[in-house]
Amino acid sequence: MAPHLNIVPSMFVLLLLFISASKVQSDAFDVVAKFGAKADGKTDLSKPFLDAWKEACASVTPSTVMIPKGTYLLSKVNLEGPCKAPIEINVQGTIQAPADPSAFKDPNWVRFYSVENFKMFGGGIFDGQGSIAYEKNTYENREFRSKLPVNIRFDFVTNALIQDITSKGSKLFHINVFACKNITLERLKIEALDESPNTDGIHMGKSEGVNIIASDIKTGDDCISIGDGTKNLVIKEITCGPGHGISIGSLGKFQNEEPVEGIKISNCTITNTSNGARIKTWPGEHGGAVSEIHFEDIIMNNVSSPILIDQQYCPWNKCKKNEESKVKLSNISFKNIRGTSALPEAIKFICSGSSPCQNVELADIDIKHNGAEPATSQCLNVKPITSGKLNPIPCSGPVPKTPSATA
């Protein structure tokens, strides 16, 4: 059942790339020393940053853009390739967005577009200063939400390594990975208030060969959310919480969504979240496919829904509740998952009646309810394959006529 995932080859290629680049003397482009940036928290960094990027990107030898320690105000920046040689950004300072959401007319703050052979590192912080946005970001206020910026966007980026960077207080998603190939995000820190809406830690779609490793994510939405077209994704050694867990989806909301396949999530710890290991698809709406999804070696600490397949995903009760999901789920496993649940329903498999889940495996599960009642397991339109120790007993609990909504 397990797919062949290409984490070792892709990471090896990245390692060789940056080792070979480091052997060549790289040109340094310091935004302060050479381009006049001021670390005073008031002067806009946009022009010095963009000017440094353009010169570095035009260099025929490996180059480094340097952002020294200090606090910088950045209105927004769009950093485009292709570049003529490998390029790095060494972020040591704290970069702050305007706190007022009205400063943004589109959902971009820091965006990397069409860049290859790229590295960002340095221990720096991207601070979205999102507290004002959180108060106004409601379901009804869609126009307002459509203009909220993501802290960092990677669009059409290939062969990249992002290390030792912090994203905090994003007004919307912290990091968005779109149409990327062979990109590794490692040792990241993501921080947002647990009541901050739509602040997914890392969201991705239409990308292949993404690796998310050894990162700490505290947010108000999914720690990691996996959109359509994601293939050969490895997530490991993540600490998640607060937040909504690690989620495949939501899927089936839009037409022509691409399949999600080849996802391995392992050696993670999920604490005080509303969900743990989750797959979510909309009822009715549109078709799609999800296959070869594997959750392994995960610790759950006081998670409301530790293991969840939800094909009746309906936040805000805005969906076609009386219709079945058209997204096909197959070859999914949950192995060696242990810990505690905040609610009795530790395992919930709510699959589509018109397209039941196929080849769902449960092995070596030990989840105890923190309350007086024993943990239970609910199954609808699925017959899981089971092995090893299993607590709760699979499909031992009744399924409510209307399963409770999840965020």
Side-chain angles (χ1 to χ4, degrees):
M1 246 172 98
H4 179 68
L5 298 169
N6 294 321
I7 180 171
V8 175
S10 62
M11 290 190 70
F12 183 66
V13 168
L14 285 171
L15 185 61
L16 285 179
L17 166 69
F18 293 113
I19 288 175
S20 61
S22 67
K23 291 179 180 178
V24 180
Q25 182 63 40
S26 64
D27 296 326
F29 298 85
D30 188 315
V31 297
V32 174
K34 189 172 180 179
F35 296 91
K38 295 181 180 179
D40 58 7
K42 298 181 292 184
T43 305
D44 192 356
L45 178 64
S46 294
K47 188 176 187 305
F49 196 177
L50 184 57
D51 288 348
W53 173 268
K54 286 180 176 178
E55 284 200 27
C57 189
S59 173
V60 295
T61 59
S63 57
T64 301
V65 174
M66 177 72 181
I67 301 178
K69 291 182 179 180
T71 300
Y72 304 84
L73 174 67
L74 175 67
S75 57
K76 68 178 296 183
V77 68
N78 189 40
L79 304 171
E80 296 188 10
C83 298
K84 293 183 177 179
I87 186 168
E88 299 179 341
I89 298 182
N90 183 348
V91 182
Q92 296 183 3
T94 296
I95 302 174
Q96 293 182 330
D100 186 351
S102 66
F104 295 90
K105 305 306 178 186
D106 58 55
N108 299 310
W109 180 38
V110 177
R111 181 180 185 236
F112 297 92
Y113 177 80
S114 189
V115 183
E116 189 171 354
N117 301 334
F118 170 66
K119 181 179 180 181
M120 183 162 67
F121 64 103
I125 299 170
F126 291 84
D127 183 356
Q129 300 201 101
S131 58
I132 296 174
Y134 304 154
E135 298 170 5
K136 298 180 180 180
N137 186 3
T138 62
Y139 175 79
E140 292 77 16
N141 202 350
R142 293 184 183 182
E143 184 177 354
F144 173 79
R145 185 167 62 251
S146 70
K147 296 177 182 178
L148 292 177
V150 172
N151 261 13
I152 308 172
R153 285 187 180 272
F154 299 103
D155 295 340
F156 300 93
V157 173
T158 302
N159 297 336
L161 179 62
I162 315 300
Q163 285 182 324
D164 302 310
I165 294 294
T166 294
S167 172
K168 63 183 290 188
S170 184
K171 295 177 176 65
L172 202 69
F173 297 173
H174 285 262
I175 295 173
N176 194 80
V177 176
F178 177 77
C180 294
K181 190 171 183 179
N182 296 337
I183 178 171
T184 292
L185 302 99
E186 184 176 23
R187 300 194 300 269
L188 303 186
K189 290 184 179 179
I190 295 176
E191 302 171 357
L193 301 174
D194 58 1
E195 64 268 23
S196 56
N198 304 118
T199 54
D200 294 40
I202 301 171
H203 177 77
M204 73 206 70
K206 295 180 172 59
S207 296
E208 184 171 2
V210 178
N211 306 303
I212 305 173
I213 303 169
S215 296
D216 182 20
I217 304 175
K218 298 178 173 68
T219 188
D221 210 297
D222 292 325
C223 291
I224 300 173
S225 56
I226 299 157
D228 77 293
T230 302
K231 298 179 181 180
N232 296 331
L233 165 69
V234 170
I235 298 170
K236 67 177 184 177
E237 300 167 17
I238 303 299
T239 57
C240 164
H244 295 179
I246 299 175
S247 298
I248 313 293
S250 60
L251 298 169
K253 180 70 171 173
F254 304 103
Q255 286 185 337
N256 303 317
E257 290 184 352
E258 298 178 13
V260 174
E261 58 189 22
I263 314 296
K264 183 173 182 181
I265 300 161
S266 63
N267 297 104
C268 298
T269 299
I270 302 176
T271 302
N272 295 328
T273 57
S274 56
N275 306 287
R278 173 167 67 156
I279 301 172
K280 51 180 175 174
T281 74
W282 289 80
E285 304 298 347
H286 304 285
V290 177
S291 63
E292 301 297 349
I293 311 297
H294 305 286
F295 295 91
E296 297 181 10
D297 302 318
I298 297 175
I299 297 173
M300 306 284 184
N301 295 316
N302 197 46
V303 174
S304 295
S305 294
I307 297 175
L308 176 62
I309 295 176
D310 183 5
Q311 293 208 262
Q312 296 180 5
Y313 178 69
C314 187
W316 318 292
N317 291 318
K318 303 289 184 179
C319 66
K320 300 177 180 178
K321 282 187 173 182
N322 296 324
E323 297 186 22
E324 299 290 344
S325 175
K326 298 180 176 69
V327 179
K328 180 65 177 177
L329 307 185
S330 62
N331 299 338
I332 297 163
S333 68
F334 302 88
K335 296 181 179 180
N336 194 26
I337 298 177
R338 58 204 184 278
T340 58
S341 64
L343 299 175
E345 301 85 6
I347 301 174
K348 289 198 288 188
F349 291 156
I350 309 299
C351 292
S352 169
S354 61
S355 184
C357 300
Q358 291 186 343
N359 296 331
V360 176
E361 183 178 358
L362 282 170
D364 299 310
I365 307 296
D366 188 9
I367 301 174
K368 299 177 176 64
H369 177 217
N370 275 334
E373 304 172 58
T376 63
S377 169
Q378 301 174 354
C379 298
L380 180 65
N381 302 316
V382 62
K383 294 181 179 180
I385 302 163
T386 62
S387 62
K389 179 180 179 180
L390 296 170
N391 177 45
I393 298 170
C395 311
S396 57
V399 179
K401 203 166 189 180
T402 305
S404 57
T406 59

